[in-house]
Amino acid sequence: MKKIKALLLDLDGTIRRPTSGKFIEDPNDQEPIEEAIKTIKIYHQEGWIIIGITYQGGVAAGHKSLKSAIEEQRKTLEIFPLLSYIYFCPDFEGNLCYGVSRENIDLIHEMHKEFLGQFRKPNCGMISAALKSFKNLSKALMVGDRLEDEEAAKNAGIHFLSADIWRFPPIDREF
């Protein structure tokens, strides 16, 4: 049976950025960080499954709607065709988690009730829910640009790599 390697990527500041300011205002207000596209391609060619892990606190703060956040993730999947799925938490308490694919919206908080209250980073509920979907996981790596990303990876018991380092991989990298 084939062993699976999972690359979990924070989105904002790691692989995408807003075009208008500090935060993504609407689904089309985003652009890729160019180096991220190249690095995702390298990992994909090496057989990694690539998953987004993002906290969308703008929903809870009233800056955007849940519908807009879902559309934002779908737009990200268009921009990054090698990204297979995105988990996002839109509430401050970490009780809600949605999974977005090109075809579906999954209520992760209903599928994985054991992680209620743990979906918001630095807790590891989103990571743990993502990893539970793989039966033959051999490696997992979380990449992010904030301390909360690193702490979430540590809490999940997986390796972490800073986005600034990850986006410029050496030829013979190992983590």
Side-chain angles (χ1 to χ4, degrees):
M1 198 175 280
K2 185 178 177 184
K3 295 289 185 181
I4 295 175
K5 300 178 282 188
L7 176 63
L8 300 122
L9 298 172
D10 169 62
L11 300 182
D12 298 319
T14 298
I15 68 168
R16 70 181 184 189
R17 63 180 156 234
T19 56
S20 67
K22 189 172 180 181
F23 299 105
I24 294 174
E25 299 289 333
D26 69 57
N28 293 311
D29 181 27
Q30 59 178 301
E31 65 183 5
I33 297 172
E34 288 303 318
E35 297 84 6
I37 292 174
K38 295 172 190 169
T39 307
I40 287 171
K41 187 175 182 180
I42 291 168
Y43 276 79
H44 184 263
Q45 289 171 340
E46 292 176 357
W48 291 74
I49 293 174
I50 302 152
I51 300 164
I53 303 286
T54 183
Y55 174 59
Q56 293 295 303
V59 175
H63 300 298
K64 61 177 121 178
S65 68
L66 178 60
K67 180 181 178 188
S68 179
I70 289 168
E71 291 307 312
E72 178 183 315
Q73 307 327 310
R74 286 210 161 127
K75 182 67 177 178
T76 300
L77 290 168
E78 286 178 27
I79 294 169
F80 296 95
L82 300 178
L83 193 62
S84 61
Y85 198 79
I86 297 173
Y87 289 78
F88 79 93
C89 173
D91 70 319
F92 295 134
E93 296 79 21
N95 289 320
L96 300 174
C97 183
Y98 294 85
V100 179
S101 69
R102 286 167 183 81
E103 302 83 29
N104 297 312
I105 301 163
D106 298 315
L107 304 177
I108 303 301
H109 55 275
E110 290 184 4
M111 298 165 60
H112 293 285
K113 292 181 186 223
E114 68 271 28
F115 302 124
L116 289 178
Q118 299 296 310
F119 290 116
R120 183 178 180 189
K121 296 184 244 176
N123 293 313
C124 63
M126 284 190 286
I127 295 171
S128 297
L131 297 180
K132 277 189 107 172
S133 65
F134 301 110
K135 300 208 178 349
N136 294 314
L137 187 67
S138 65
K139 282 186 182 177
L141 173 64
M142 174 73 190
V143 177
D145 66 324
R146 299 181 56 142
L147 180 59
E148 292 84 3
D149 301 319
E150 183 173 3
E151 289 173 351
K154 180 180 176 184
N155 290 333
I158 65 171
H159 293 282
F160 174 81
L161 194 57
S162 169
D164 290 336
I165 295 169
W166 173 80
R167 286 191 298 258
F168 298 97
I171 303 295
D172 60 345
R173 75 182 181 288
E174 228 359 89
F175 68 85

